[in-house]
Amino acid sequence: MKRYLPAGSYDSITPETAGWEYSALRLLTLDGSATFETGEFETLVLPLAGSCSVSCDGQTFEVQGRRDVFSRVTDFVYAPRDATVTVTGQGRFALPAARCGARLEPRHVPAEDVQVELRGAGQASRQVNNFCTPETFPHADKLIACEVLTPGGNWSSYPPHKHDRESPGECVLEEIYYFEVAGGGMAYQRVYGEPERPIDVLEEVRTGDTVLIPHGYHGPSMAAPGYDLYYLNVMAGPSPERAWLICDDPAHGWVRATWAEQEMDPRLPLTSAEGPR
């Protein structure tokens, strides 16, 4: 099963193509309208570049969007399973999705309500837009999603961590990383496993590339100097509780303790809800 998908080689990642059960992502380039059925999947309409209106269950939501992922935080729409969705507009859109059981109500979340978190310190400083995490957006059944922006030269998804076992401090989540890199640059993504569950990925990634993580430690995500890095994380799994519980690689978890003695990168935050459209 391929774990690295270069831009242009796909427009839809389903559980069947990924070889797992829950997490999915579709990329939609639009100049007009597109209608689709959500089926078994709760789905988000998340602008990467552009704006749109989203009609679902008799409601229409105006999505202001953004110029690109490096310009501002965006609003988004949640669409439930078993719904017909029409997106009308112009631009590029990500449709993160998760196979789920409960059917909830559609919802529009303005950019001003998206929690922006600064995480790490020093060269591990990064920005996390927690737009669909359990703590900030409880209105979902299985789906967990966030955006991470890493200034050029910094490392994120660090220390390496995993979420592939059920335990008091860890849950099973299948994860998709979708990347964009400012200025036409490149970045790097590492994924590695344990002896009993091997996986070995070290890829140069550029805008539009995706890495699939069924299990194993993932990180670091390395932004090359001079090129800011964006990635969209899409997660879901079989755990009865919708939770994002991780386990650091024991060989590298000590790095977290060093952050208390370091400053946050002054370039952060890279974006906010007040940025230019």
Side-chain angles (χ1 to χ4, degrees), residues 9 12 31 39 43 65 86 93 100 106 128 144 165-166 178-179 181 214 273:
S9 68
S12 180
D31 185 7
T43 303
T86 298
F93 305 88
C100 66
V128 184
I144 299 173
R165 286 188 175 90
E166 290 294 336
Y178 166 80
F179 297 92
V181 186

Side-chain angles (χ1 to χ4, degrees), residues 105-118:
E105 294 297 316
R107 184 164 295 184
H108 172 255
V109 178
E112 293 76 11
D113 290 348
V114 173
Q115 182 204 68
V116 174
E117 174 190 4
L118 301 187

Side-chain angles (χ1 to χ4, degrees), residues 32-123:
S33 293
T35 298
F36 61 91
E37 305 291 330
T38 59
E40 299 178 277
F41 295 84
E42 56 186 353
T43 303
L44 307 180
V45 179
L46 179 77
L48 298 171
S51 60
C52 65
S53 64
V54 179
S55 297
C56 177
D57 282 3
Q59 302 183 64
T60 298
F61 306 99
E62 297 299 326
V63 181
Q64 297 298 311
R66 54 189 167 186
R67 184 179 64 209
D68 57 54
V69 297
F70 298 103
S71 65
R72 63 174 284 133
V73 175
T74 187
D75 53 345
F76 68 95
V77 168
Y78 171 91
R81 62 167 289 165
D82 300 318
T84 301
V85 179
T86 298
V87 183
T88 303
Q90 186 174 37
R92 296 185 298 108
F93 305 88
L95 308 180
R99 179 175 278 128
C100 66
R103 190 181 196 278
L104 306 175
E105 294 297 316
R107 184 164 295 184
H108 172 255
V109 178
E112 293 76 11
D113 290 348
V114 173
Q115 182 204 68
V116 174
E117 174 190 4
L118 301 187
R119 190 178 295 175
Q123 287 184 288

Side-chain angles (χ1 to χ4, degrees), residues 99-269:
R99 179 175 278 128
C100 66
R103 190 181 196 278
L104 306 175
E105 294 297 316
R107 184 164 295 184
H108 172 255
V109 178
E112 293 76 11
D113 290 348
V114 173
Q115 182 204 68
V116 174
E117 174 190 4
L118 301 187
R119 190 178 295 175
Q123 287 184 288
S125 300
R126 63 271 203 183
Q127 172 182 338
V128 184
N129 299 335
N130 290 308
F131 67 92
C132 185
T133 57
E135 296 76 19
T136 63
F137 186 70
H139 187 79
D141 184 35
K142 286 287 187 182
L143 181 61
I144 299 173
C146 68
E147 300 177 315
V148 180
L149 292 109
T150 309
N154 286 7
W155 287 21
S156 58
S157 193
Y158 191 73
H161 61 278
K162 69 181 183 71
H163 35 68
D164 58 13
R165 286 188 175 90
E166 290 294 336
S167 71
E170 185 178 355
C171 60
V172 177
L173 293 168
E174 310 153 351
E175 187 161 13
I176 300 168
Y177 272 55
Y178 166 80
F179 297 92
E180 300 207 0
V181 186
M186 71 290 194
Y188 296 87
Q189 177 66 44
R190 179 74 171 119
V191 185
Y192 59 96
E194 300 171 283
E196 64 275 18
R197 299 187 76 189
I199 185 172
D200 187 6
V201 178
L202 176 57
E203 292 288 350
E204 179 180 300
V205 294
R206 297 176 181 270
T207 293
D209 292 357
T210 295
V211 171
L212 307 180
I213 304 172
H215 59 84
Y217 292 104
H218 37 288
S221 303
M222 297 162 271
Y227 299 105
D228 295 338
L229 171 65
Y230 164 97
Y231 53 87
L232 169 66
N233 289 142
V234 182
M235 294 170 277
S239 302
E241 179 186 7
R242 179 176 171 251
W244 190 4
L245 302 177
I246 68 171
C247 174
D248 286 340
D249 183 338
H252 305 295
W254 64 269
V255 171
R256 289 188 188 273
T258 69
W259 295 344
E261 302 172 357
Q262 300 179 63
E263 299 294 327
M264 181 63 61
D265 190 315
R267 293 174 290 178
L268 292 171

